[in-house]
Amino acid sequence: MTKALNILRLHSIPRPLREGLGAGLRGLGAGLLFLLSLSAKSQEVCLPADSARVVEILEQAPADAGVTYFARQFIGVPYVGHTLEKSLDDEPLVINLRELDCTTYVETVAALWQANRDKRHATYGSYKRWLARYRYWNGQRDDYLSRHHYFSWWWHDNVRQGILSEVDLSASGAELTPMVVKLNYMSLHPELYQQLNAHREWLPRLQKMEQEYSGHDGLFLSKQELLRKGSKAFRGIIKDGDVIAIVTTKGGLDYSHLGFASWQGDGRLHLLNASSIHHKVVDEPKTLYKYLSEHKTSVGIRVFRLK
């Protein structure tokens, strides 16, 4: 790793896909991280401890390690939101394995799993390339709007890249519900986002992107149907390590939380996730249905598989 060339003060800017949207900034310490490189497009924010941890995990992982192997490496890691927000103007690649939210947790695990699939090239550099592929449109990091700020953007682009697929939950015999997406939270509330507030000229482009991914958008499994069918109906369909996205009715948003499918000893489906409720990464002791039933705006799920 090259020596840090600059230091930036950390800005706390909310990202719409957050569990507990609008919650305050949590535990950011001194609020300083190293900014590596001077070029805007090659900036990388990473502490030596993070790059060392990436290498350590990849060196120790079995060649055939599954997604849940990597997901469980982070159990107990603190839940911290807004860790990607480092600059008003630039969009550095942020690598932080010490503090995770639901989205950065899924991206971190996905990049590690992909990097490890070919042990000959399981390197820190490979991890960074995979992280960028999952986080940015077409894997190309440019400006603030090159990042997948909504999960609808995330899954559509990664399916298009061929590194993600949707799991067909209708194979269980469950009746699925049509999903209608209306994305506009960010453009309606630019004052909540320091980048947008500082760059109002981005709003027309943002609104166009939001509109493009609004409307009818496939099917989801409602929590009522999950209860009716029971976990056993999905046992051979949803696999450990599949990405579970929770559909929300919160205005202007599409999904409220992400995690990994986890079949526990009770034979029921649970969520392995970076939890703002538990303030850390946990294998949720409550069943997925119980979790959904306790959140009024969480109306169901969609399931995706890393490829």
Side-chain angles (χ1 to χ4, degrees), residues 265-277:
D266 59 5
R268 297 181 179 181
L269 186 59
H270 295 251
L271 194 65
L272 178 54
N273 69 118
S275 169
S276 65
I277 297 171

Side-chain angles (χ1 to χ4, degrees), residues 14-16 18-26 82 185 192-193 250:
R15 187 180 180 185
R18 291 289 182 264
E19 196 180 10
L21 186 68
L25 192 62
R26 301 176 186 271
H82 324 307
Y185 190 88
L192 299 178
Y193 303 85
K250 291 180 181 178

Side-chain angles (χ1 to χ4, degrees), residues 244-263:
I244 294 179
I246 295 179
V247 179
T248 185
T249 57
K250 291 180 181 178
L253 296 177
D254 45 4
Y255 303 85
S256 59
H257 190 47
L258 304 177
F260 295 103
S262 173
W263 291 95

Side-chain angles (χ1 to χ4, degrees), residues 13-16 18 82-87 90-92 94 103-104 107 134-137 140-150 153-154 186 195 205 209:
I13 307 164
R15 187 180 180 185
R18 291 289 182 264
H82 324 307
T83 60
L84 302 186
E85 319 309 337
K86 299 292 179 285
S87 169
D90 300 322
E91 178 65 20
V94 178
T103 304
T104 58
E107 291 173 341
Y134 279 105
R135 185 171 292 168
Y136 296 102
W137 288 101
Q140 299 300 310
R141 178 175 52 86
D142 186 8
D143 60 12
Y144 179 67
L145 292 184
S146 67
R147 194 197 314 166
H148 299 133
H149 291 285
Y150 294 99
W153 295 359
W154 195 95
M186 293 181 70
Q195 288 97 324
R205 181 173 151 220
M209 295 170 71

